[in-house]
Amino acid sequence: MLIFRHISATQGQDFMKFAYFVRPHIGGTYSVFKQLRAGLAEKDVDVHWMSIDSPGSVHDDQWLPEFSYGSLVQVHGGMTERDQAETLVQALEDGGFDGIFINVLSERILTNIARYLPEKFLRIMIVHNITAGTYSAAKAIRNHVHATIGVSERIRSDLVRKLDFPAHRTFVIPHAAGSSSTRDIRREANMSDILRLIFLGRIEDASKGVFWLPEILSHLPQTVHLTVAGDGPDLGNLKDKLSPHLHRVTFLGAVHPEKVHNLLLQHDVLIMPSRYEGFGLTITEAMSAGCIPVVSRIRGVTDTIIDDGTNGFLFPIGNSREAAQIVAQIHSNAETAQWLSDAAQCKADATFTLEIMAERYLNVIRNVKADPINIAAPLRMEEWAMPRGLRSGLRTLVPRPLKNWLRVVRERI
């Protein structure tokens, strides 16, 4: 659990206040907010989440404590997008914010607002994924942000080489694996004959490749038990596909972020057969808990987190048989498994720390503040419009099976 402290403006001349555009939810972008708020609080940067409370929004009681660290901007059903954008800008003004972290495609208005913000606001774009839609949205606001952060080497490389993002203002900052307090909790050895395999994440086949899980499990001995932790649109179909193996499968549903570390401590191997990832926060969380990652190889992403064969394993996307063989090898040698577990935890503790992540974000903020380069002048709110990159394009018409096949081919090439 991350512990936050309040920062007052009297604590230092360099005190700054940033809004982070997101709403509380189970997912990577909100986990990153929690990490940033905790890490930057020690460096006189106060980070609050902010989003638009759209009509009909469902408010889950489990997230009520998070409202101590952020707020929803109230809008009503009769408001146009421009009205909502104006209300959001006013909330930033009233809140005394100096800058904004913009998560590309977290929400259309929250992304497009970068083009209309008053000049006094520092704006830093965070790109979390490697999809064409994400890149198009990032390009649409490229000239209206002071800096761009890609969460993996792949993202920065693609933005600079393919989309002409300025190299000196485009950075790589990987996510942290957790707080210092979670890293102090160590796992107990598995004394049973059962290997505890876990999938943790959104239950969606297009990105996460969850429909490969039944095939992977079918190649594994009966002494391997699979836990599926998460929720998503393909959960029902996945349960059907795993029905022949239900005697050795447990479905947990969505898991609150505060419970993730303890859950991973109770499992031996993380299986992640994703077709694409921007980073793979779950991998570093697993490594931090000594849960050995067995993950599909995604160039510039997973291969920058895992040293294949040393602190985890990589397999070709969609190669269920090879994934199963790796898991079976881990299961067959307890001594090797322990060595891999220790190595994974050591890599996470040394590389993917909250302190390192916060220091890198702070350096970006300081550079932007010290040398506020000229960016495109803000557009007039009266001319509010969604650019092409934030509108639905022809790619939405491509059938999912074809998209999935193209993604696999792209990564294997």
Side-chain angles (χ1 to χ4, degrees):
M1 179 177 179
L2 300 177
I3 306 299
F4 304 131
R5 66 180 179 88
H6 176 69
I7 301 176
S8 68
T10 61
Q11 282 184 272
Q13 295 180 347
D14 293 331
F15 171 84
M16 297 189 73
K17 186 177 180 181
F18 268 74
Y20 181 99
F21 284 165
V22 74
R23 69 170 58 222
H25 70 286
I26 295 176
T29 52
Y30 193 72
S31 295
V32 173
F33 159 73
K34 301 266 284 201
Q35 293 175 345
L36 272 181
R37 179 171 171 86
L40 291 177
E42 303 297 328
K43 304 177 185 299
D44 280 355
V45 181
D46 196 8
V47 185
H48 293 248
W49 65 264
M50 180 179 284
S51 189
I52 295 174
D53 189 18
S54 55
S57 294
V58 176
H59 301 288
D60 193 325
D61 289 345
Q62 74 170 321
W63 297 109
L64 289 180
E66 303 300 320
F67 280 76
S68 300
Y69 318 125
S71 60
L72 292 172
V73 177
Q74 300 298 316
V75 298
H76 59 75
M79 282 186 165
T80 63
E81 283 190 351
R82 191 187 80 183
D83 294 335
Q84 294 180 48
E86 289 177 334
T87 304
L88 180 61
V89 172
Q90 189 61 53
L92 292 168
E93 298 268 13
D94 294 344
F97 290 96
D98 302 290
I100 299 95
F101 291 113
I102 298 169
N103 293 300
V104 175
L105 280 188
S106 63
E107 204 279 335
R108 289 201 323 160
I109 295 176
L110 298 179
T111 301
N112 194 37
I113 196 72
R115 306 193 306 145
Y116 298 86
L117 287 171
E119 291 181 350
K120 67 178 182 179
F121 290 112
L122 298 179
R123 60 213 73 168
I124 297 173
M125 169 166 53
I126 307 176
V127 183
H128 293 270
N129 221 323
I130 63 173
T131 64
T134 302
Y135 286 168
S136 293
K139 184 177 181 181
I141 66 171
R142 176 191 59 198
N143 298 331
H144 292 268
V145 299
H146 294 94
T148 299
I149 293 171
V151 300
S152 65
E153 295 282 355
R154 167 73 168 273
I155 291 174
R156 182 188 185 276
S157 175
D158 286 349
L159 294 179
V160 172
R161 291 190 305 105
K162 299 179 181 179
L163 299 177
D164 296 323
F165 273 62
H168 67 290
R169 292 195 289 118
T170 308
F171 306 90
V172 179
I173 305 181
H175 301 323
S179 68
S180 298
S181 59
T182 60
R183 295 200 307 273
D184 291 336
I185 305 171
R186 300 295 174 175
R187 66 170 42 239
E188 296 181 1
N190 179 9
M191 304 305 292
S192 74
D193 294 329
I194 302 296
L195 181 129
R196 303 165 300 181
L197 183 67
I198 184 170
F199 170 88
L200 173 65
R202 181 171 169 79
I203 310 300
E204 179 192 30
D205 186 57
S207 60
K208 303 299 184 181
V210 295
F211 289 165
W212 282 317
L213 290 174
E215 186 177 350
I216 292 171
L217 198 58
S218 70
H219 294 303
L220 287 167
Q222 295 296 310
T223 48
V224 175
H225 183 279
L226 172 66
T227 297
V228 177
D231 198 357
D234 290 328
L235 179 58
N237 284 339
L238 179 60
K239 286 183 176 180
D240 290 341
K241 293 177 183 295
L242 280 170
S243 58
H245 307 284
L246 282 184
H247 62 287
R248 57 187 180 122
V249 178
T250 299
F251 290 92
L252 295 183
V255 178
H256 194 280
E258 292 182 0
K259 298 180 180 180
V260 165
H261 188 74
N262 283 336
L263 177 63
L264 289 167
L265 286 173
Q266 298 165 17
H267 289 82
D268 307 301
V269 175
L270 170 81
I271 184 71
M272 198 177 90
S274 299
R275 285 187 176 85
Y276 62 88
E277 293 281 346
F279 177 69
L281 180 59
T282 303
I283 305 173
T284 59
E285 290 175 327
M287 293 171 75
S288 179
C291 184
I292 304 163
V294 177
V295 179
S296 54
R297 182 187 295 274
I298 302 172
R299 177 184 54 81
V301 182
T302 59
D303 59 3
T304 65
I305 301 172
I306 296 170
D307 304 305
D308 192 21
T310 299
N311 43 46
F313 293 94
L314 302 168
F315 61 89
I317 296 175
N319 194 328
S320 300
R321 186 175 293 276
E322 183 169 332
Q325 287 173 347
I326 293 169
V327 174
Q329 288 171 4
I330 295 172
H331 187 23
S332 66
N333 192 321
E335 184 176 343
T336 300
Q338 185 60 56
W339 183 84
L340 287 163
S341 173
D342 292 343
Q345 198 160 34
C346 183
K347 173 73 179 282
D349 288 353
T351 307
F352 303 108
T353 70
L354 188 63
E355 294 78 14
I356 292 174
M357 174 186 172
E359 189 64 30
R360 289 177 176 173
Y361 269 90
L362 181 66
N363 287 338
V364 172
I365 293 171
R366 283 174 173 167
N367 289 339
V368 168
K369 186 179 179 183
D371 184 20
I373 55 150
N374 292 326
I375 60 175
L379 304 180
R380 297 174 65 245
M381 191 65 78
E382 293 78 9
E383 300 172 355
W384 174 270
M386 284 291 168
R388 173 187 286 184
L390 291 174
R391 300 195 300 263
S392 297
L394 292 177
R395 69 177 66 90
T396 60
L397 302 178
V398 179
R400 178 188 284 190
L402 178 57
K403 275 186 182 179
N404 290 345
W405 179 79
L406 290 171
R407 285 164 178 154
V408 173
V409 170
R410 178 188 66 181
E411 292 304 321
R412 288 187 174 180
I413 291 175

